[in-house]
Amino acid sequence: MVTENDIWGYLEEVADPEIPVLTVVDLGVIRAVRLENDQCFITITPTYSGCPAMKMIEEQIIEKLNEKGIPNVSVDLVLAPAWTTDWISESGKAKLLEYGIAPPENEVDKSVLFSEPTVVPCPKCGSRNTRMVSLFGSTACKAHYQCNECLEPYDYFKCLK
Amino acid sequence: MNSLFEYVLRLGDDSLILGHRLSEWCGHGPILEEDIAMTNISLDLVGQATSLLGYAGELEGKGRDADALAFLRFDRDYKNVLLVEQPNGDFGMTMLRQFFFDAYRKPLFEKLQHSTDKHLAAIAEKSLKETKYHLKHSSEWVIRLGDGTEESNARIQDSLNTLWRYTNELFFTDEVDAELVEKGIVPSLQEIQNEWNATVTAVLTEATLTIPTNNWKQEGGRKGLHSEHLGYILAELQYMQRAYPNMQW
């Protein structure tokens, strides 16, 4: 008999399509798992409104659970409460760093004009002597930084609260 | 009239048309970072449009989903403000148009996230987080270009003189707003306008730009009366669905 805990375990095998080093559980986009008789209900939330990966995540979840012998899966998308980078697991943050993406720092409100960019340590050499190149990076959830010491250009998973 | 449908449709159309306009910069940005920034913002806006138009379709209750509303309406049925359909112009003009819009959307979403309508509140809460990044980006560029070189100042001042006439329509109100404000579902636009005025005055002053004294204002979009530019946008936006009805990506 499959339990909800088993389902959470299976979802650990579903990678985020844009950042494959993270699972969808690490990313915090799985909001609920519910089993009712032989029907499995999964609730997910998008990181950004226009995140193009959501459809793929939904399909991958269904495919994975089908593969695990759970035929009836429905995936529901909710917007509230809105996703925040606080929901990325500690192990997820460690995996990001290892992958070369700086994990979110605890930032202040971004609405302040010309505020000093957040200091984001270089994921390669650890130096704090880095600079923000652009607030917008290769995907909606990332900013672009460069290390002034080792010159490594890198992505920063920007804080969303 | 179904006021909430109309209201959500207006918000959705603003996001859709501005998102489409910004996407025209894809591959044409002045520098790679800005090309990426504008397409990121475009993606956020199109995502917001998907949420808003999807909800509008539910409220309407005629079986139209976000795609049906985005791709299968005639120009008169689009309710976006004229500002968002104006041509991109140069990079400065695009940033200024974005700034006027972001400075209106941020306080609006701040209020709407507490709406008694739970679905609208959820969309607003989500969108607000994105809008804060947009406003920071657009306002910094307006200041950088206004308070930049003689050339950049003159060009963005020209854009300001052109776009200023479209800003008042952001605060257009009619019976749709009146009914929803009275029911406590949406905020009064007067509050939003006060905050917009404060933000815009502060940023344009910092940018050493002169706010036009000509107060003649153009409106019509909220009633479906558009500038000629919308037709060209729709011709491109709707081409695939019109040429290959019901095609799926």
Side-chain angles (χ1 to χ4, degrees):
Chain A
M1 184 67 193
V2 179
T3 66
E4 287 174 4
N5 261 341
D6 294 333
I7 307 271
W8 279 102
Y10 300 152
L11 294 176
E12 289 276 8
E13 296 174 28
V14 179
D16 175 76
E18 304 247 25
I19 311 168
V21 68
L22 289 186
T23 72
V24 290
V25 177
D26 286 329
L27 193 60
V29 297
I30 309 290
R31 301 318 299 156
V33 170
R34 192 163 54 85
L35 270 175
E36 223 170 83
N37 303 319
D38 65 341
Q39 181 70 38
C40 176
F41 299 92
I42 311 279
T43 307
I44 60 174
T45 193
T47 52
Y48 281 74
S49 297
C51 180
M54 293 319 289
K55 186 71 190 159
M56 194 160 169
I57 287 177
E58 182 185 326
E59 284 166 7
Q60 285 179 347
I61 287 173
I62 294 172
E63 195 179 326
K64 175 60 70 181
L65 295 182
N66 287 167
E67 184 189 307
K68 296 289 182 184
I70 303 156
N72 302 318
V73 182
S74 66
V75 179
D76 199 24
L77 186 87
V78 296
L79 292 179
W83 183 83
T84 148
T85 38
D86 291 345
W87 294 350
I88 300 178
S89 67
E90 286 308 311
S91 75
K93 286 176 190 167
K95 286 186 215 169
L96 279 175
L97 194 58
E98 201 179 325
Y99 191 60
I101 298 174
E105 298 282 321
N106 216 359
E107 286 174 38
V108 288
D109 196 313
K110 273 290 163 203
S111 55
V112 190
L113 272 183
F114 286 114
S115 51
E116 284 296 309
T118 313
V119 175
V120 178
C122 172
K124 194 177 172 92
C125 75
S127 169
R128 296 178 63 81
N129 177 17
T130 62
R131 67 188 179 95
M132 187 181 78
V133 178
S134 174
L135 199 52
F136 296 88
S138 57
T139 63
C141 52
K142 289 182 243 130
H144 185 200
Y145 271 70
Q146 185 168 25
C147 179
N148 293 329
E149 299 288 337
C150 74
L151 303 182
E152 173 83 351
Y154 59 95
D155 274 336
Y156 163 55
F157 206 118
K158 68 193 179 204
C159 197
L160 195 68
K161 300 199 180 224
Chain B
M1 185 196 290
N2 184 340
S3 292
L4 191 54
F5 161 69
E6 184 70 20
Y7 186 90
V8 175
L9 188 70
R10 290 173 178 181
L11 294 185
D13 284 345
D14 284 349
S15 296
L16 177 72
I17 300 301
L18 187 57
H20 188 80
R21 266 288 184 234
L22 279 178
S23 77
E24 293 171 1
W25 275 104
C26 187
H28 301 279
I31 51 171
L32 184 59
E33 286 77 9
E34 286 311 313
D35 197 293
I36 291 170
M38 285 187 284
T39 45
N40 261 277
I41 295 166
S42 168
L43 188 62
D44 285 341
L45 287 167
V46 173
Q48 293 168 13
T50 308
S51 300
L52 288 162
L53 294 179
Y55 184 40
E58 278 178 38
L59 289 166
E60 186 192 35
K62 291 183 183 164
R64 293 202 282 183
D65 63 6
D67 284 343
L69 287 172
F71 297 122
L72 300 174
R73 278 181 293 156
F74 291 109
D75 55 347
R76 288 276 177 114
D77 300 325
Y78 284 78
K79 302 298 171 64
N80 57 280
V81 288
L82 301 176
L83 177 71
V84 299
E85 69 197 38
Q86 296 311 302
N88 286 336
D90 60 15
F91 175 72
M93 186 180 251
T94 295
M95 283 301 116
L96 187 65
R97 184 186 62 199
Q98 190 67 35
F99 166 63
F100 285 148
F101 184 73
D102 296 338
Y104 146 79
R105 270 294 174 95
K106 179 177 164 278
L108 182 63
F109 283 145
E110 276 170 346
K111 291 279 191 296
L112 281 178
Q113 67 176 337
H114 305 299
S115 170
T116 51
D117 183 273
K118 292 298 164 219
H119 198 143
L120 185 55
I123 297 172
E125 185 197 347
K126 181 87 210 151
S127 306
L128 174 62
K129 296 181 180 197
E130 297 156 359
T131 304
K132 284 182 184 176
Y133 276 108
H134 303 171
L135 177 60
K136 182 175 164 62
H137 178 255
S138 60
S139 51
E140 288 184 1
W141 270 112
V142 169
I143 295 171
R144 207 174 275 124
L145 293 171
D147 192 17
T149 64
E150 208 174 302
E151 170 79 10
S152 72
N153 175 277
R155 284 171 68 166
I156 201 164
Q157 181 68 54
D158 269 356
S159 299
L160 175 56
N161 299 343
T162 302
L163 292 179
W164 187 248
R165 75 197 64 171
Y166 300 107
T167 55
N168 203 50
E169 197 192 7
L170 292 167
F171 311 103
F172 173 87
T173 53
D174 60 6
E175 66 279 6
V176 169
D177 303 84
E179 183 191 328
L180 298 172
V181 169
E182 195 179 311
K183 287 182 179 164
I185 298 173
V186 309
S188 143
L189 277 177
Q190 189 56 53
E191 295 172 54
I192 310 299
Q193 188 164 18
N194 292 341
E195 194 168 332
W196 186 88
N197 281 336
T199 308
V200 166
T201 306
V203 168
L204 294 183
T205 304
E206 179 86 25
T208 69
L209 293 168
T210 309
I211 296 177
T213 45
N214 175 1
N215 274 325
W216 180 78
K217 296 293 166 61
Q218 181 74 47
E219 61 182 36
R222 289 286 188 240
K223 290 290 187 193
L225 301 172
H226 293 277
S227 59
E228 68 171 307
H229 308 295
L230 184 71
Y232 291 96
I233 294 175
L234 295 183
E236 187 174 312
L237 181 70
Q238 300 187 333
Y239 170 77
M240 290 298 274
Q241 279 301 325
R242 298 288 190 194
Y244 305 95
N246 303 317
M247 64 97 60
Q248 296 271 320
W249 182 250

